[in-house]
Amino acid sequence: MIHLTEADYRDLVAANLSVIDKSLTLVGVEHEMRLPDGRVSRIDVLARDKFGCFTVIEIKKSNQTARSAVQQLYKYAHFLKKNNRLRVDQIRCVAISTHWDELRAPFSEFRHFSEYESVALRLTLNGSGSFSVEEVECEYEVGGGESIHNYIFFEFKSKGIRDDAYKIFLDALSKIAPNLNSVLIKMNAKPNGKLVNPYGFSWSVFCTDGSGLSDSILALKNMPDLSPEFFSGNPLVASWNDGSIEAETRELILSKVPIVRAGYGEYGCYAIHSLNNTLHGWEVVETLKFGSMFANGLYSEDEARAFACGFLGKHPYNFVAQVTPKRPPHLNFVREQVQKFLRTNPSWQQSVSYIFDELDSDVEAEITIYNPLNFCGWLCDLYREGQSSRIPHFEIVVTGGEAPIRYFGTLVWNGMILKTKLKDALKAVYPSESIAHMRSVNQWINEYDDKLFRKFGIKHEVFRQTDSGIHWLNAWEDPMRWEVSTKDLNSLKRFLQQHDHLVEAAGRHFGKYTLNL
């Protein structure tokens, strides 16, 4: 067996550049570059082509030495830019190694975030002093702890039955699918409830890299199906399958693991946003986290529940985040998510973007947005219960500057009394009557609600509260500006006092369709 040093590999590559790229010609081996400040760097192999572009080649022969390859490529590229005034497009970085176990992950990050063209090559000796190279796949791992769009909720008749099923389920998860990132929330219905099954637990599944679930799926497929004595909601769960490997694993677990005995409980699959509603009506007993995403105690139970509820963009009307301009990438990500979240509320979308723009560099901001945007749902709540929690509002509290600043958004009525009938307003705003009815059962069809609010003179306004008082954001002028509001702000209560016919109309109109807004 031939044992070559890194210097041997370097000389071999330099003498056979055509194996890598036929257009390359050698500039130098151990090519020295010296900067005016005295720093010196030596590139393993530097080559160029007829297009005026240069290729930096870094050669490694073991996992131990491969770890430094990315740092050296960045260093060499920097020297070429600074010393030889090359542009980024004129520099190509090539890493050649006989081993890629340690190098693959850091090189994938380098390739993704660096502006330089980059190539990963595995070198194999063929004997007689020749070698071959093949490109190595260095797929970038996107990351992101997002849950899939729905969750499972198990309900049981008694605490003992629930606790037994919970233990069986935990044991099955740890043995069959330990890599399936999951959050389980055990809870009891509040005492004043009248539920048939007042004891339960939720199961939220999160994205993984997929690599650890193949064995779980194979093992599950080899297990026998549930016997008829156990409850199966699989047809419903299958209809919520988004095609991901996580959803497939979840579906198999429910079809194979005996969790709910028929007649003693049941389970269902629900949209992610309804978990938050459930948590308001139930008392949390404990929150458990599984999988690599939650390993090493990086996330608290509160954070895990927030992830499960989809509060960072997956939830249709709740958004919660903390940011600081000191972390620009995170700030920009959250800002982008807020813009998507408020896409059907253009007034607040524009106003919140304006608030982001005026954040000082050293402050911290806590963002809480509640944007249900359901005009008719609000009226129907009032018709049925005399009250409603579906009133949009947001708060952004900024600290760390000279003084705290509180931004808040609320609905304000312009004071105009209209005799417009609700039915006529729906026809004017919605493209069809069927879409208006569909809106009553689908939280995502909310792109017409802002127009409906405006139809009755209700606007989504924004205010800023500081030590000097409260100012109103005049978003209707260009450019936008903060102004001291001298006009009387009309509340929704005053609006309803003048438009009580709308509450009755909404209750009757949607009541005949027995739709649950």
Side-chain angles (χ1 to χ4, degrees), residues 343-361:
R343 65 192 179 282
T344 56
N345 189 337
S347 300
W348 278 1
Q349 185 187 53
Q350 186 180 19
S351 299
V352 171
S353 181
Y354 184 81
I355 292 170
F356 268 87
D357 285 338
E358 68 175 29
L359 291 177
D360 291 333
S361 60

Side-chain angles (χ1 to χ4, degrees), residues 34-45:
R34 188 180 297 273
L35 295 185
D37 60 9
R39 284 181 292 161
V40 177
S41 185
R42 292 178 177 84
I43 301 174
D44 282 358
V45 178

Side-chain angles (χ1 to χ4, degrees), residues 186-443:
K186 184 198 283 190
M187 56 187 100
N188 301 331
K190 292 183 177 178
N192 57 354
K194 297 180 180 180
L195 297 176
V196 175
N197 300 312
Y199 301 92
F201 64 90
S202 64
W203 178 31
S204 301
V205 174
F206 296 78
C207 296
T208 69
D209 63 5
S211 61
L213 296 181
S214 300
D215 290 343
S216 296
I217 288 176
L218 182 61
L220 284 161
K221 287 182 176 179
N222 290 329
M223 290 172 61
D225 291 333
L226 287 178
S227 64
E229 63 181 301
F230 288 95
F231 175 85
S232 175
N234 237 37
L236 175 63
V237 175
S239 69
W240 286 84
N241 193 324
D242 61 5
S244 66
I245 191 171
E246 295 85 5
E248 181 184 359
T249 307
R250 180 183 71 177
E251 189 176 336
L252 283 168
I253 289 173
L254 292 171
S255 67
K256 304 288 186 174
V257 179
I259 307 168
V260 186
R261 192 174 294 276
Y264 292 85
E266 60 184 358
Y267 65 81
C269 193
Y270 305 93
I272 185 174
H273 66 268
S274 65
L275 178 57
N276 183 53
N277 300 336
T278 300
L279 290 173
H280 280 292
W282 293 61
E283 294 176 345
V284 173
V285 178
E286 70 174 0
T287 301
L288 293 182
K289 302 160 286 183
F290 285 89
S292 60
M293 173 180 170
F294 299 105
N296 306 318
L298 290 186
Y299 298 116
S300 68
E301 290 187 8
D302 287 341
E303 287 175 315
R305 287 194 293 271
F307 292 155
C309 291
F311 283 166
L312 195 59
K314 284 276 184 98
H315 199 288
Y317 49 85
N318 276 302
F319 189 98
V320 179
Q322 291 179 281
V323 297
T324 174
K326 291 179 284 189
R327 292 291 315 282
H330 180 247
L331 177 75
N332 292 334
F333 169 78
V334 172
R335 182 172 186 166
E336 181 180 330
Q337 295 302 307
V338 170
Q339 291 296 294
K340 291 178 181 178
F341 176 74
L342 292 173
R343 65 192 179 282
T344 56
N345 189 337
S347 300
W348 278 1
Q349 185 187 53
Q350 186 180 19
S351 299
V352 171
S353 181
Y354 184 81
I355 292 170
F356 268 87
D357 285 338
E358 68 175 29
L359 291 177
D360 291 333
S361 60
D362 57 349
V363 301
E364 299 177 2
E366 294 186 13
I367 304 166
T368 305
I369 306 175
Y370 181 63
N371 186 44
L373 271 185
N374 195 333
F375 182 80
C376 291
W378 167 55
L379 295 176
C380 283
D381 286 347
L382 295 172
Y383 177 80
R384 295 169 180 168
E385 304 170 17
Q387 60 182 358
S388 177
S389 60
R390 294 191 231 210
I391 301 174
H393 58 269
F394 80 75
E395 181 178 64
I396 300 177
V397 179
V398 178
T399 56
E402 293 182 1
I405 302 174
R406 175 177 174 255
Y407 301 92
F408 61 95
T410 188
L411 293 178
V412 176
W413 174 44
N414 65 8
M416 297 291 291
I417 301 173
L418 303 174
K419 298 300 182 183
T420 305
K421 294 182 179 179
L422 180 62
K423 189 174 183 179
D424 294 335
L426 291 173
K427 287 182 178 179
V429 170
Y430 284 90
S432 69
E433 188 175 4
S434 62
I435 292 180
H437 297 156
M438 194 182 301
R439 169 66 182 98
S440 66
V441 292
N442 191 324
Q443 291 290 350

